[in-house]
Amino acid sequence: MSRLFRQLRLRFRSLFRRGRVEQELNEELQYHLDRQIEEGLANGLTPKEARYAALRSLGAVAQNKEECRDLRRVSWIEDMVQDLRYSARTLRKSPGFSIVAILMLALGIGASTVIFSVVDAVLLRPLPYPNPQQIVRVWEQTPKGNRISLADQNFDDFRTQNTTFADLAVYNYRLQSVSGGSEPVRVKVAAVSKGFFKALGIEPLNGRNFAPDEQRLHGAPVAIVSYHYWQQYLGGSSDLSKFHLTMNGSVYSVIGVMPETFDFPHSVAIWIPGELYPKLHSRTAHNWQCLGRIREGMTLAQARANLSTIARRIKDQYGNDVHLNDAAVVSLSDAMVGEMRTALLTLLGAVGLLLVVACANVAGLLLARASARRKELAVRVALGAGRGRLVRHFLAESFVLSFAGSLLGILIAVWGIKILPLVLPENLPRQENIVINISVLLFALAVTIAVAFSLGLFAAWRAGEGDLQEALIAGSRSHTGSSASQRMRSFLVIGEIATTIVILIGAGLLGRSFLRLISTNPGFNPQNLITVEFSPPVSMGQTEQSTIVRQAGLMKEILTRLRAIPGVETVGLTSGIPAAAGDNLPEGDFLILNGQKPPANSNEWAGIAQNSSQVGHALYAVAGEEYMRTLGIALIRGRMFSEQDDWNSPHVAMISETLARQRWPNQDPVGQIIFFGNMDGDLKPLTIVGIAGDVRARGLNRPPGAVIYVHYRQRGMKANSSPTIVMRSAAPMGEIVSSARGIFHDLAPDVPVKVSTFANEMGGWLADRRFLLLLVGLFAATALVLAAAGIYGIVAFSATRRIQEFGIRLAIGATEGDVLRLVLRQAAILIAAGVGLGLLGSAMLSRFIASLLYGVSSLDLLTFATVSLLLSAVALVASYIPARRATKIDPLSALRYE
Amino acid sequence: MSKPTDLVQGTLDLLILKIVDREPMHGWAIAQRIHRMSDEVLQVGQSALYPALHKLEQQGWIEAEWKVSENNRRAKYYSLTRDGKKALAKEAVQWERLSAAISLIVRSA
């Protein structure tokens, strides 16, 4: 019999035939004892003496046995099973404690699990492309370090000169009207250049990729559709040849369907070849986003260095005609998450702190329980339980608690994930991947084990502290509890308050930012505005008079009929509503002509642009004559657009106040002639006729920018706009909306419209900022409640422990007030310490969320002060209630109290 | 009876192995044998003996069998296994070297 086998047999025997082994051990020791007694008798002792002597020589039989058992290595398994059973039994015996502890742990673990599932899906899980670490986003980088989109010519240089990319492609996307499916819809359409799908490493599910012949100017228009679009609007039919989609007046044949999981750029429904657009010669028309796949074996750093060299070469060659002097290369996963990373990590931090508060509460409960169980523990030690065994016992108990809490917590998480979509902002990438999967469960398990260990060791350490035998002797006549356990309780209260302060301050800072944001004056009146977003019924890139006049005619008809709807006060037209969708406005450089002839081509443009006093930078907005009036944008100087401005009259522009201040600080801009044809392809110069009040076009959190407004009847709505009609009306919305829909249906049946209110659109924009506030606020509120409950519990417990002392004090003449003050003073010291520690922690941590704040310093005094006061008040009330009760006791019964 | 001398750490194992090498023996007899063979210098208490026996059994150096003892009662008899014999040989050599080394130092000093 091999040694290993024998050992295994012995261990199995110890484990599964425990009774037998135990009996044998007893028998063996008994035999020894009997022989000892016999020997004593043989030496002439009386039976009683012999027995006594033998027993004395044996020493502590129980300990001896335990040692023998320990040597049979499996004893820890037996102990564990026994401990777990024992724990479950004792926990059942105190259901109040167990339920509260389990609920608190469930809350903490459940909330952490939900947030981790978001972090896992959005930040941690690799992107669903082959070798995703090789895929990067690329930007032009300005000397100031800003990342900007690529201009055609710069991209061409990047693509043809690099040695580090397997594929480099550009893309952009916008909402467009698409008809030809089962119904016309406005969906995101992406124009993508050669190599786009190859860079991502994804092939169409059905059909084929774009052919080289289709990826050129004037190639046959073809489109690849998303799985979702295919299912919903093309009936999921496998014969694609019968489908032709109309977009911007061109007809695209459907040639492929992407796989269901493919979602790049986010929520795009249709991809078309980017080469269909004419290439611009400008090196400052930053129209394209760029992505690439780094060659196998090359690193991101190498790719970046490579593109940097090319960028510097471009800068050397073109000087002031380009904005870039470097290139930025960022892995796609980092780029996709962007600002959301900070937000999600903040959430994870907040929920982690919440878990700490929950654990502190449970630790408080355990403390109370441990001191109630001191005698039981003392007895167990006296009966031979080693210190290790005691630790194991506490671990078992906290494992039972933690795992029960964890199971419930996972149930909470499953439910929490279902309601997450209500809270998460729409533009959070990859949120459809949020699930409870193995890695989320492993996270929950790891958290549970960590919690179980820390609680178990905490309890064991506490219980082992001080001399247990003393506890046994002292009996129940303990007065104030040991100073050690008092210290522990103080430590818990301070920690709990400090942690809660940190979450509350985080929530407070986010809340103040949000208030600042929504109370920011957008520069117009956002109330009672109905918005109707639609697509321009015009082909891309067309600037002919006929097209624009036809479009203007149609718009005029629509606007006139809309104005006739009863209850509608004013109706205006814009190429993008400010603040809520302001990022849709394109921007670029314009020229101040100063009497010069407008440039006829890009060389002449660059010639004038060399004089930097003749170049400005602004957002490009198209507006109708009543737009400013409808929104309530102030007219500072000059005039607004009017009926008289049309295709044949000199083209006019209005500029924003900021731009007037920036470019014409000491002169009157009205009457100046500028050139902005690089934005819309129309070479006619623009005469500034008026200055409009500033609006926060790009969002409430951005300063009002430089804007140039042009007239839709002169320049037309181009493909690069999100044409929107704004209607101001105090009348009920429903009727107006249905009338408006009817009018569009009559006059432009192929144009899908999206009717909404400005407040609604703004809500979407604010949702990004709100979700974080909502969740952190929720965690903060929960932490506050937990902390209050925890402090209440601990103070109440301390007060109970001191009831005899209070009785004595009252008996020798202290007033109720004295006792109350005594308890409160002690609580106040702890609260002050906790608040101080929390403020210190917040001051160190809050700078991590500085990028999420708006108009509020991360050390905002008001927030810090308010939160400190709030928490101090809550904590004092939580201490006052039990303190008050302590003073109501009858001294005599208190003295007898055990 | 003189005061029992403390055993050097680990030597109890060697003594047990040596004693059960001769014939299978139960715990009480082992203790007695150690006592007698050491001219009553060494006395092994139950509290040291049984854990040591269980540990050796666990290690696979000795094995146990219940047999009827000289006074007609059931007793647990320990005997040396093949592994145990090897271990004993090694431990004995080790001990010889160690004790020789110690005596060398003690005598010369």
Side-chain angles (χ1 to χ4, degrees):
Chain A
M1 189 165 57
S2 85
R3 186 175 151 197
L4 183 73
F5 183 72
R6 190 162 47 220
Q7 282 186 358
L8 272 178
R9 191 183 60 93
L10 280 171
R11 285 185 194 185
F12 272 115
R13 217 167 95 85
S14 314
L15 190 56
F16 296 111
R17 310 210 41 201
R18 207 174 51 205
R20 177 78 184 277
V21 170
E22 197 66 7
Q23 189 202 328
E24 284 182 2
L25 183 59
N26 281 336
E27 196 176 337
E28 191 177 12
L29 294 178
Q30 186 63 48
Y31 180 79
H32 193 104
L33 181 68
D34 291 347
R35 294 296 297 257
Q36 190 103 33
I37 294 170
E38 274 172 36
E39 195 187 58
L41 288 173
N43 287 344
L45 297 176
T46 65
K48 203 173 168 188
E49 279 169 343
R51 187 173 169 77
Y52 187 61
L55 276 174
R56 204 172 36 193
S57 82
L58 275 182
V61 179
Q63 251 167 31
N64 209 340
K65 277 198 213 165
E66 181 73 14
E67 214 176 315
C68 284
R69 273 184 224 120
D70 269 351
L71 278 166
R72 304 188 164 265
R73 298 280 171 209
V74 282
S75 65
W76 64 269
I77 300 183
E78 294 164 30
D79 287 352
M80 197 178 72
V81 173
Q82 195 190 351
D83 281 339
L84 287 177
R85 269 202 213 127
Y86 182 74
S87 303
R89 210 162 53 227
T90 49
L91 288 175
R92 262 207 308 277
K93 266 193 243 159
S94 39
F97 160 80
S98 310
I99 288 173
V100 171
I102 288 172
L103 279 182
M104 268 186 290
L105 291 175
L107 187 70
I109 293 174
S112 313
T113 306
V114 171
I115 297 304
F116 180 80
S117 72
V118 178
V119 170
D120 175 58
V122 179
L123 293 183
L124 300 181
R125 222 174 297 157
L127 292 168
Y129 311 116
N131 292 329
Q133 73 286 353
Q134 296 296 102
I135 310 177
V136 292
R137 284 285 314 272
V138 175
W139 288 271
E140 295 184 13
Q141 189 166 311
T142 66
K144 279 187 189 164
N146 292 329
R147 292 170 187 171
I148 47 181
S149 301
L150 273 80
D152 280 314
Q153 301 300 319
N154 296 334
F155 168 68
D156 271 353
D157 288 352
F158 278 0
R159 188 174 56 85
T160 52
Q161 295 173 20
N162 84 76
T163 53
T164 45
F165 283 87
D167 296 283
L168 195 62
V170 286
Y171 61 96
N172 63 26
Y173 55 94
R174 60 184 67 259
L175 275 173
Q176 279 187 12
S177 302
V178 179
S179 53
S182 54
E183 58 180 289
V185 277
R186 262 174 84 67
V187 290
K188 275 190 190 166
V189 177
V192 304
S193 79
K194 224 172 266 178
F196 174 82
F197 291 114
K198 228 175 121 223
L200 291 169
I202 304 289
E203 285 289 306
L205 173 75
N206 285 340
R208 58 176 177 86
N209 205 334
F210 300 127
D213 195 42
E214 293 153 351
Q215 291 172 311
R216 58 180 179 83
L217 196 58
H218 309 305
V222 287
I224 293 176
V225 299
S226 72
Y227 185 86
H228 181 75
Y229 184 89
W230 178 57
Q231 286 291 325
Q232 189 161 6
Y233 299 107
L234 304 181
S237 158
S238 57
D239 177 18
L240 299 176
S241 66
K242 61 186 179 199
F243 296 119
H244 302 280
L245 303 178
T246 307
M247 294 178 265
N248 279 317
S250 306
V251 178
Y252 293 77
S253 311
V254 177
I255 58 161
V257 179
M258 291 310 284
E260 191 174 1
T261 50
F262 186 79
D263 183 34
F264 190 88
H266 183 47
S267 77
V268 160
I270 294 167
W271 295 265
I272 58 172
E275 288 81 2
L276 291 174
Y277 291 88
K279 268 199 182 134
L280 298 180
H281 294 290
S282 160
R283 283 187 181 268
T284 55
H286 306 284
N287 288 332
W288 298 97
Q289 316 208 33
C290 180
L291 99 172
R293 177 177 286 274
I294 299 174
R295 251 178 232 276
E296 214 57 52
M298 298 267 189
T299 64
L300 194 145
Q302 286 171 318
R304 185 186 141 77
N306 184 215
L307 291 188
S308 285
T309 313
I310 301 170
R312 271 195 300 278
R313 206 150 58 210
I314 297 174
K315 178 73 183 169
D316 288 345
Q317 194 176 345
Y318 297 96
N320 283 338
D321 294 350
V322 292
H323 293 138
L324 82 171
N325 76 337
D326 201 349
V329 179
V330 174
S331 79
L332 180 62
S333 52
D334 287 351
M336 268 177 79
V337 173
E339 290 172 4
M340 285 295 176
R341 174 183 298 273
T342 321
L344 290 182
L345 293 182
T346 303
L347 269 185
L348 199 61
V351 85
L353 291 177
L354 176 64
L355 182 63
V356 168
V357 174
C359 285
N361 268 5
V362 176
L365 290 176
L366 283 173
L367 260 189
R369 219 168 113 76
S371 57
R373 288 169 67 189
R374 265 179 97 68
K375 266 203 288 179
E376 175 209 329
L377 295 174
V379 169
R380 292 191 66 181
V381 169
L383 286 179
R387 182 152 184 142
R389 185 65 198 268
L390 221 53
V391 170
R392 283 199 299 263
H393 165 74
F394 279 108
L395 277 180
E397 198 165 279
S398 68
F399 264 85
V400 171
L401 279 181
S402 306
F403 273 89
S406 179
L407 279 182
L408 193 60
I410 288 170
L411 288 182
I412 293 178
V414 169
W415 170 80
I417 278 178
K418 285 203 186 109
I419 59 163
L420 259 185
L422 297 179
V423 193
L424 291 180
E426 238 172 79
N427 68 351
L428 180 69
R430 309 177 71 195
Q431 55 178 299
E432 62 283 354
N433 297 330
I434 297 172
V435 286
I436 304 263
N437 58 12
I438 296 289
S439 54
V440 173
L441 286 178
L442 281 179
F443 169 84
L445 182 69
V447 168
T448 308
I449 290 175
V451 166
F453 259 107
S454 30
L455 286 180
L457 292 180
F458 173 81
W461 175 46
R462 258 306 303 126
E465 191 121 312
D467 195 345
L468 280 170
Q469 276 185 337
E470 208 173 281
L472 199 58
I473 297 161
S476 61
R477 283 269 169 192
S478 59
H479 300 283
T480 56
S482 70
S483 65
S485 66
Q486 193 68 40
R487 229 180 12 251
M488 257 5 258
R489 287 196 289 272
S490 311
F491 169 75
L492 276 182
V493 171
I494 293 175
E496 207 161 352
I497 291 179
T499 315
T500 310
I501 283 264
V502 174
I503 314 185
L504 278 176
I505 283 185
L509 289 173
L510 292 171
R512 287 249 304 148
S513 299
F514 192 74
L515 286 181
R516 273 284 167 91
L517 208 55
I518 57 176
S519 60
T520 301
N521 178 9
F524 56 91
N525 175 7
Q527 309 299 322
N528 299 330
L529 281 178
I530 296 169
T531 60
V532 185
E533 202 184 325
F534 60 98
S535 282
V538 62
S539 314
M540 220 151 16
Q542 290 185 353
T543 53
E544 296 93 41
Q545 176 177 4
S546 58
T547 319
I548 291 173
V549 169
R550 206 173 62 230
Q551 190 188 37
L554 175 64
M555 289 320 303
K556 187 172 181 181
E557 245 183 292
I558 293 176
L559 292 175
T560 311
R561 285 196 49 190
L562 288 174
R563 284 186 185 116
I565 299 175
V568 171
E569 293 159 27
T570 43
V571 179
L573 174 70
T574 174
S575 60
I577 54 172
D583 264 341
N584 288 349
L585 291 181
E587 64 182 308
D589 287 352
F590 66 92
L591 299 178
I592 302 168
L593 288 178
N594 282 346
Q596 275 169 291
K597 201 160 60 71
N601 54 45
S602 59
N603 279 343
E604 285 184 34
W605 199 97
I608 301 174
Q610 276 189 345
N611 183 352
S612 65
S613 72
Q614 282 186 264
V615 190
H617 193 84
L619 297 175
Y620 170 88
V622 186
E625 57 261 32
E626 286 224 44
Y627 170 67
M628 310 263 172
R629 206 165 296 134
T630 307
L631 249 66
I633 299 173
L635 176 69
I636 308 290
R637 276 183 55 73
R639 66 169 176 92
M640 293 193 180
F641 298 148
S642 77
E643 295 276 340
Q644 279 70 49
D645 301 314
D646 63 13
W647 170 264
N648 293 312
S649 60
H651 285 197
V652 293
M654 290 182 71
I655 62 172
S656 69
E657 209 180 343
T658 297
L659 180 58
R661 224 178 14 249
Q662 276 174 4
R663 291 311 312 179
W664 292 276
N666 301 313
Q667 33 178 325
D668 187 358
V670 174
Q672 291 278 348
I673 296 177
I674 57 174
F675 180 85
F676 214 2
N678 42 316
M679 296 307 288
D680 54 17
D682 191 330
L683 300 185
K684 284 191 188 168
L686 299 158
T687 308
I688 298 174
V689 295
I691 302 174
D694 275 330
V695 293
R696 293 186 181 251
R698 305 212 108 174
L700 292 178
N701 58 341
R702 310 267 291 265
V707 186
I708 294 177
Y709 299 93
V710 298
H711 195 351
Y712 88 97
R713 273 194 272 143
Q714 296 178 331
R715 314 295 278 203
M717 289 285 176
K718 295 300 177 333
N720 61 359
S721 59
S722 317
T724 308
I725 288 172
V726 282
M727 299 191 278
R728 185 174 292 286
S729 166
M733 194 183 150
E735 279 171 43
I736 296 178
V737 169
S738 56
S739 316
R741 279 191 191 283
I743 291 166
F744 264 93
H745 189 76
D746 288 352
L747 299 175
D750 273 353
V751 176
V753 295
K754 180 184 159 203
V755 185
S756 177
T757 63
F758 185 81
N760 230 337
E761 294 296 295
M762 204 61 216
W765 183 84
L766 286 171
D768 295 10
R769 283 104 190 136
R770 194 166 34 206
F771 97 99
L772 184 63
L773 171 65
L774 202 70
L775 287 178
V776 174
L778 187 70
F779 296 152
T782 315
L784 184 63
V785 172
L786 286 184
I791 293 163
Y792 173 90
I794 290 173
V795 173
F797 175 72
S798 302
T800 319
R801 303 272 301 174
R802 295 173 67 184
I803 271 196
Q804 284 178 338
E805 179 204 332
F806 295 154
I808 295 169
R809 283 173 188 272
L810 289 170
I812 59 174
T815 64
E816 287 183 5
D818 290 338
V819 172
L820 189 64
R821 265 194 297 281
L822 184 73
V823 178
L824 280 186
R825 195 186 315 127
Q826 228 159 37
I829 292 170
L830 297 185
I831 293 167
V835 168
L837 200 63
L839 288 179
L840 209 66
S842 300
M844 288 194 298
L845 291 173
S846 65
R847 64 197 154 92
F848 290 112
I849 61 166
S851 68
L852 302 171
L853 302 181
Y854 168 75
V856 177
S857 147
S858 63
L859 294 176
D860 182 50
L861 197 64
L862 184 67
T863 310
F864 276 56
T866 316
V867 165
S868 310
L869 282 178
L870 171 71
L871 190 56
S872 305
V874 168
L876 271 178
V877 171
S879 331
Y880 176 81
I881 299 168
R884 178 98 196 125
R885 197 175 307 143
T887 65
K888 293 290 173 208
I889 48 162
D890 165 30
L892 275 179
S893 61
L895 285 172
R896 279 195 300 269
Y897 180 85
E898 289 196 345
Chain B
M1 193 159 61
S2 67
K3 190 168 169 276
T5 313
D6 283 340
L7 281 170
V8 181
Q9 193 82 47
T11 48
L12 178 57
D13 290 357
L14 176 60
L15 297 183
I16 293 173
L17 291 177
K18 183 75 193 166
I19 285 167
V20 298
D21 186 28
R22 291 192 182 176
E23 53 179 322
M25 216 173 262
H26 52 74
W28 165 259
I30 294 172
Q32 292 302 307
R33 178 75 54 93
I34 290 176
H35 191 57
R36 261 205 315 280
M37 284 177 70
S38 64
D39 286 341
E40 311 206 338
V41 175
L42 300 176
Q43 179 150 12
V44 185
Q46 182 216 32
S47 58
L49 179 65
Y50 286 95
L53 282 172
H54 284 242
K55 191 185 79 188
L56 289 171
E57 186 189 0
Q58 210 63 212
Q59 275 176 340
W61 290 355
I62 56 177
E63 54 192 348
E65 199 182 350
W66 287 92
K67 286 194 212 165
V68 178
S69 72
E70 58 277 10
N71 63 348
N72 261 337
R73 278 187 50 187
R74 247 164 64 87
K76 200 175 174 188
Y77 276 75
Y78 294 94
S79 58
L80 210 57
T81 65
R82 195 151 9 117
D83 279 334
K85 278 189 200 299
K86 277 188 227 155
L88 171 59
K90 232 164 75 187
E91 297 272 312
V93 171
Q94 196 98 20
W95 172 253
E96 292 293 346
R97 268 178 44 204
L98 188 66
S99 61
I102 292 173
S103 343
L104 212 60
I105 293 166
V106 173
R107 278 185 203 140
S108 70

